[in-house]
Amino acid sequence: MMPEEQLRRVTVMITGAGGAGYPLIFKALRSSSRYNVRIVAADVNPLAGNLYRDDWVDAAYCVPAVDSPDYIDRMLAIVKSEGVGFWLSAVDEELPLVSRNRELLASLGCRIVLPTEAPLVAAFDKRATNNALQDVIAIPKTIYPDEDSDLAQVFAELGNDVVIKACRTRGNRHNYRVDSLAELKLRSDQFREQNIDFMCQSFVAGDEYNISLMADAEGEIIYAVARQKIDPPRTRPNTFAGLVRRDAALEADAIAAVRAMKLYPGTSNVEFIKPPGGRGLAIDVNGGRHAAQDYNLIDSGINIPEMLLDMAHGIEVLPVSPTMVKSGRITLKFVDEYTIDLDELISRCHGAIESGHLEGLRKALQALELDTAAQ
């Protein structure tokens, strides 16, 4: 490792930083052998404990949701005030907006490593993803019902065992397995009432995989590693246990998907269901971001954010040896706790009070203090 004075100094802004998929990024950046990184962490939730780990985070911000009218202005203000040199996000809804504003960010000295906007928009839309992949790799049989569709026919065509899910969502949110026509009708009505575009697919029994990839600006693959999700499926928005289980066919299909959708440069991950003895079927593409289980790659020596920083600075990133990540390595996530006084939390997280999340708590605390003083 270089002496600290020889490391390249850079401020990295991480958005969505309160999520379960970010401790691996903090740890990887802190262990970088080439960069002295100052980390600015931002999240919509000022109660996210990650923001207050001073061994991970140097400055914390509570920011508006992506669909807020002042979102991009707020983020640009943070970039300016903190001197952000690189923006790293794994928030699916945010990535197209970040990509769209790459020239403005560059004018402020902030680099990104992302595909162009259109592929990121398509990757967040399962209908668009399936359309892009239907002649490239295998996907489950899929129907997009409209108000005139005969749901009994849909149910029968999909084998009387159906997965109904929102087209634009993250993880397993709004994702339901239904084994009766009555439940299919109920879920369909719920989606329509909320004006949510949805799809129906044949349920496929099998192991669930996530293939993590990185590609350079020409679409050349830096790594592609298959990981089996080994915690119970469809019970969590995030995977908490991932086992590296190399599978050449799945890795090749994931590469084909990323290239077909032009999801480069940067990281992506592709999810599959693999039935016993059968070919894997792609069920989702998470374009432009790392996977929440990628710590087993980092632990194997693939420092994902460091490699992205290299790309951002025009440094060639070479393909990873196929033998570097071996089957059998498991990432296990765990829940930890962090305690902090409310006043300290407010002072350390810029925008926490303005967000409105804490106002009720603060008033309750003040009332409690007045009651105590009166006694």
Side-chain angles (χ1 to χ4, degrees), residues 85-89 95 98-99 102 110-116 120 214-217 264-267 288-289 305 307-314:
F86 185 71
W87 185 348
L88 176 62
S89 172
L95 295 174
V98 178
S99 182
R102 65 176 67 237
C110 181
R111 297 172 167 90
I112 61 172
V113 176
L114 283 174
T116 56
L120 292 169
M214 179 182 287
D216 66 17
Y264 49 82
T267 55
R289 66 170 178 84
M307 296 163 77
L308 292 173
L309 281 169
D310 282 347
M311 285 188 187
H313 288 92

Coordinates of all heavy atoms in Angstrom, one line a residue, residues 85-89 95 98-99 102 110-116 120 214-217 264-267 288-289 305 307-314:
G85 N -15.9 14.7 -5.7 CA -15.2 14.4 -6.9 C -15.7 13.1 -7.6 O -15.4 12.9 -8.8
F86 N -16.6 12.4 -6.9 CA -17.1 11.2 -7.5 C -18.4 10.9 -6.8 O -18.5 10.9 -5.5 CB -16.2 10.0 -7.3 CG -16.6 8.7 -8.0 CD1 -16.6 8.6 -9.4 CD2 -17.1 7.6 -7.2 CE1 -17.1 7.4 -10.0 CE2 -17.5 6.5 -7.9 CZ -17.5 6.4 -9.2
W87 N -19.5 10.5 -7.6 CA -20.8 10.2 -7.0 C -21.1 8.7 -7.3 O -21.1 8.3 -8.4 CB -21.8 11.1 -7.7 CG -23.3 11.0 -7.2 CD1 -23.8 10.0 -6.3 CD2 -24.4 11.9 -7.5 NE1 -25.1 10.3 -6.1 CE2 -25.5 11.4 -6.8 CE3 -24.5 13.0 -8.3 CZ2 -26.7 12.0 -6.9 CZ3 -25.7 13.6 -8.4 CH2 -26.8 13.1 -7.7
L88 N -21.4 8.0 -6.2 CA -21.7 6.6 -6.3 C -23.0 6.3 -5.7 O -23.3 6.7 -4.6 CB -20.6 5.8 -5.5 CG -20.8 4.3 -5.4 CD1 -20.8 3.6 -6.8 CD2 -19.8 3.7 -4.5
S89 N -23.9 5.7 -6.5 CA -25.3 5.5 -6.1 C -25.7 4.0 -6.4 O -25.2 3.5 -7.4 CB -26.2 6.4 -6.7 OG -27.6 6.1 -6.4
L95 N -30.5 6.6 -10.6 CA -29.4 6.5 -11.5 C -29.7 7.2 -12.9 O -28.7 7.8 -13.4 CB -29.1 5.0 -11.8 CG -28.6 4.3 -10.5 CD1 -28.5 2.8 -10.8 CD2 -27.2 4.8 -10.1
V98 N -28.9 10.9 -12.4 CA -27.5 11.2 -12.3 C -26.8 11.1 -13.6 O -26.1 12.0 -14.0 CB -26.9 10.1 -11.3 CG1 -25.4 10.4 -11.2 CG2 -27.5 10.2 -9.9
S99 N -27.1 10.1 -14.4 CA -26.6 10.0 -15.7 C -26.9 11.1 -16.6 O -26.1 11.7 -17.4 CB -27.0 8.6 -16.4 OG -26.4 8.5 -17.6
R102 N -24.7 14.3 -16.2 CA -23.3 14.0 -16.2 C -22.4 15.2 -16.6 O -21.4 15.5 -16.0 CB -22.9 12.8 -17.0 CG -23.1 12.9 -18.5 CD -22.6 11.6 -19.2 NE -23.4 10.5 -18.9 CZ -22.9 9.3 -18.4 NH1 -21.6 9.2 -18.2 NH2 -23.7 8.3 -18.1
C110 N -17.2 16.8 -10.6 CA -17.7 15.5 -10.1 C -17.8 14.5 -11.2 O -18.5 14.7 -12.2 CB -19.0 15.7 -9.4 SG -19.8 14.2 -8.7
R111 N -17.1 13.3 -11.0 CA -17.2 12.3 -12.0 C -18.2 11.2 -11.6 O -18.6 11.0 -10.4 CB -15.8 11.6 -12.1 CG -14.7 12.5 -12.6 CD -13.3 11.7 -12.4 NE -12.3 12.4 -13.2 CZ -11.5 13.3 -12.6 NH1 -11.7 13.7 -11.4 NH2 -10.5 13.9 -13.4
I112 N -18.7 10.5 -12.6 CA -19.6 9.3 -12.4 C -19.1 8.2 -13.4 O -18.4 8.5 -14.3 CB -21.0 9.6 -12.7 CG1 -21.3 10.1 -14.1 CG2 -21.6 10.6 -11.7 CD1 -22.7 10.2 -14.5
V113 N -19.4 7.0 -13.0 CA -19.2 5.9 -14.0 C -20.6 5.2 -14.1 O -20.9 4.3 -13.2 CB -18.1 4.9 -13.4 CG1 -18.0 3.7 -14.4 CG2 -16.8 5.6 -13.3
L114 N -21.3 5.5 -15.1 CA -22.6 5.0 -15.4 C -22.9 4.9 -16.9 O -22.3 5.6 -17.7 CB -23.7 5.9 -14.8 CG -23.9 5.9 -13.3 CD1 -24.9 7.0 -12.9 CD2 -24.4 4.5 -12.8
P115 N -23.8 4.0 -17.2 CA -24.3 4.0 -18.6 C -25.0 5.3 -18.9 O -25.3 6.1 -18.0 CB -25.2 2.8 -18.7 CG -24.9 1.9 -17.5 CD -24.4 2.9 -16.4
T116 N -25.4 5.5 -20.2 CA -26.2 6.6 -20.5 C -27.6 6.4 -19.9 O -28.0 5.4 -19.4 CB -26.3 6.8 -22.0 OG1 -26.8 5.6 -22.6 CG2 -25.0 7.1 -22.6
L120 N -30.5 2.8 -18.4 CA -30.8 2.8 -17.0 C -32.3 2.9 -16.8 O -32.9 2.2 -15.9 CB -30.1 3.9 -16.2 CG -28.6 3.8 -16.2 CD1 -28.0 5.1 -15.7 CD2 -28.2 2.6 -15.3
M214 N -19.0 -6.2 -13.8 CA -18.4 -4.9 -14.1 C -17.9 -4.9 -15.5 O -17.4 -5.9 -16.0 CB -17.3 -4.5 -13.2 CG -16.7 -3.1 -13.4 SD -15.3 -2.7 -12.3 CE -16.2 -2.4 -10.8
A215 N -18.2 -3.8 -16.3 CA -17.8 -3.7 -17.7 C -17.1 -2.3 -17.9 O -17.5 -1.3 -17.2 CB -18.9 -3.9 -18.6
D216 N -16.2 -2.2 -18.8 CA -15.6 -0.9 -19.1 C -16.5 -0.2 -20.1 O -17.6 -0.6 -20.5 CB -14.2 -1.1 -19.6 CG -14.0 -1.8 -20.9 OD1 -15.0 -1.9 -21.7 OD2 -12.9 -2.3 -21.2
A217 N -16.0 1.0 -20.6 CA -16.8 1.8 -21.5 C -17.1 1.2 -22.8 O -18.0 1.6 -23.5 CB -16.0 3.2 -21.7
Y264 N -23.2 -0.3 -19.7 CA -21.8 -0.1 -19.4 C -21.5 1.3 -19.8 O -22.2 2.0 -20.6 CB -20.9 -1.1 -20.2 CG -21.2 -1.2 -21.7 CD1 -20.7 -0.3 -22.6 CD2 -22.1 -2.3 -22.1 CE1 -21.0 -0.4 -23.9 CE2 -22.3 -2.4 -23.5 CZ -21.8 -1.5 -24.4 OH -22.1 -1.6 -25.7
P265 N -20.5 1.9 -19.1 CA -19.5 1.3 -18.1 C -20.1 1.2 -16.7 O -21.2 1.7 -16.5 CB -18.4 2.3 -18.1 CG -19.0 3.6 -18.3 CD -20.1 3.3 -19.3
G266 N -19.4 0.4 -15.9 CA -19.8 0.3 -14.5 C -20.3 -1.0 -14.1 O -20.1 -2.0 -14.8
T267 N -21.0 -1.1 -12.9 CA -21.5 -2.3 -12.4 C -22.9 -2.5 -12.7 O -23.7 -1.6 -12.9 CB -21.3 -2.3 -10.8 OG1 -21.9 -1.2 -10.3 CG2 -19.8 -2.3 -10.4
G288 N -26.5 -0.5 -13.6 CA -25.7 0.6 -13.1 C -25.3 0.6 -11.7 O -24.9 1.6 -11.2
R289 N -25.5 -0.5 -11.0 CA -25.2 -0.6 -9.6 C -24.7 -1.9 -9.1 O -24.9 -2.9 -9.8 CB -26.4 -0.2 -8.7 CG -27.6 -1.2 -8.8 CD -28.6 -0.8 -7.8 NE -29.8 -1.7 -7.7 CZ -29.9 -2.8 -7.1 NH1 -28.8 -3.3 -6.4 NH2 -31.0 -3.5 -7.1
P305 N -15.5 -0.2 -5.5 CA -15.5 1.2 -5.6 C -14.1 1.8 -6.0 O -14.1 2.8 -6.7 CB -15.9 1.7 -4.2 CG -15.7 0.6 -3.3 CD -15.9 -0.6 -4.1
M307 N -12.1 0.3 -8.1 CA -12.0 0.1 -9.5 C -12.9 1.2 -10.3 O -12.5 1.7 -11.3 CB -12.5 -1.3 -9.9 CG -11.5 -2.4 -9.3 SD -12.3 -4.0 -9.3 CE -12.2 -4.5 -11.0
L308 N -14.0 1.5 -9.7 CA -14.8 2.6 -10.3 C -14.1 3.9 -10.3 O -14.2 4.7 -11.3 CB -16.2 2.6 -9.6 CG -17.1 1.4 -9.8 CD1 -18.4 1.6 -8.9 CD2 -17.6 1.3 -11.2
L309 N -13.5 4.2 -9.2 CA -12.7 5.4 -9.1 C -11.6 5.4 -10.2 O -11.3 6.5 -10.8 CB -12.1 5.6 -7.7 CG -13.0 6.1 -6.6 CD1 -12.4 6.0 -5.3 CD2 -13.4 7.6 -6.9
D310 N -10.9 4.3 -10.4 CA -9.9 4.2 -11.4 C -10.5 4.5 -12.8 O -10.0 5.3 -13.6 CB -9.3 2.8 -11.5 CG -8.3 2.6 -10.3 OD1 -7.9 3.5 -9.7 OD2 -7.9 1.4 -10.1
M311 N -11.7 3.9 -13.1 CA -12.3 4.2 -14.4 C -12.6 5.7 -14.5 O -12.4 6.3 -15.6 CB -13.6 3.4 -14.5 CG -13.5 1.9 -14.8 SD -15.1 1.2 -15.1 CE -14.7 -0.5 -15.2
A312 N -13.1 6.3 -13.4 CA -13.5 7.7 -13.4 C -12.3 8.6 -13.7 O -12.4 9.6 -14.3 CB -14.2 8.1 -12.1
H313 N -11.1 8.1 -13.3 CA -9.9 8.9 -13.5 C -9.1 8.5 -14.7 O -8.0 8.9 -14.9 CB -9.1 8.8 -12.2 CG -9.6 9.6 -11.1 ND1 -10.4 9.0 -10.1 CD2 -9.5 10.9 -10.7 CE1 -10.8 9.9 -9.2 NE2 -10.2 11.1 -9.5
G314 N -9.7 7.7 -15.6 CA -9.1 7.3 -16.8 C -8.0 6.3 -16.6 O -7.1 6.1 -17.5

